Amino acid sequence: MSGREREPANSARAAAQARILDWIEAVLWLALLVVGSTVALAVLRDVESRGRPRGPVAPAPTGLIEAEDLALVAKSRDFSFWLQPSSDFPDGHWSKDGHMFASNTVEGDWVELRLPDREPGRYAIELFLTKAADYGVVAVSVNGAQIAQFDLWTRIGVLPTGALPLGEIALSGHGDVLRLEVVGKNPNASAPHYQFGVDGVRLSAAPPAAAMDDEAGAPGAAPATAESTSSEPERDRAGSDGE
């Protein structure tokens, strides 16, 4: 090929290379723009969440056993169960500003926690959980017996449930196990559907059955009223903004 013939070929090759370089440069600029926008949005959301008004951290309800203080007995598999701060949740107050959060969970996952040792007997039990748009339906069991089930979905935000009364249970006083298991999801739940959070549990010694019977049959006993039967769990719930 003569020099005159090679010159147009070299020019065409150079032009093609220049176009390729222009495309590469455009793609790199686009990628930089996307990454920069993502980072800027994350920073903006962080600033927004920090700027939201929050009330003072609520003290722990009387007698509450913090979930983070309960010994982990077992989990169904290796999913995350960790102490998540609630400082970025503007819609309520959690004891000590945090809860134990189960994430990366699927239907059928469960966690077992050992209740503190105490005198054997019957106890009234209350559970303090968390609700959110991507939380599941959780069954609660003590020593293998299911005693309650809660749909922890809520339309928006992340909310503390306040005290959830579960009735009375018999405890051996040593080695009693509380189990939380994801058994389903609300049809409106957002992905990943099956998460849950637990703030704590409260146990109160139940009065002996005989004493309750005597009191119920005592002459002149005042009838129960809505005000007199208003439970402490409801008082705890009042500051929680739960649904």
Side-chain angles (χ1 to χ4, degrees), residues 17 20 31 38 52 55 62 89 93 106 108 116 119 157 185 198 204 207 209 223:
Q17 290 175 345
I20 292 173
T38 302
R52 288 172 183 165
T62 303
F89 304 154
H93 300 290
V106 298
E119 290 294 321
K185 65 177 181 179
V198 53
S204 308

Side-chain angles (χ1 to χ4, degrees), residues 175-229:
D176 295 296
V177 173
L178 171 70
R179 175 169 169 149
L180 303 172
E181 179 176 357
V182 185
V183 295
K185 65 177 181 179
N186 186 291
N188 298 310
S190 307
H193 307 301
Y194 300 109
Q195 304 185 121
F196 63 90
V198 53
D199 193 9
V201 61
R202 180 162 58 190
L203 298 167
S204 308
M212 293 178 65
D213 292 341
D214 291 344
E215 183 178 345
T225 65
E227 182 176 354
S228 65
T229 57

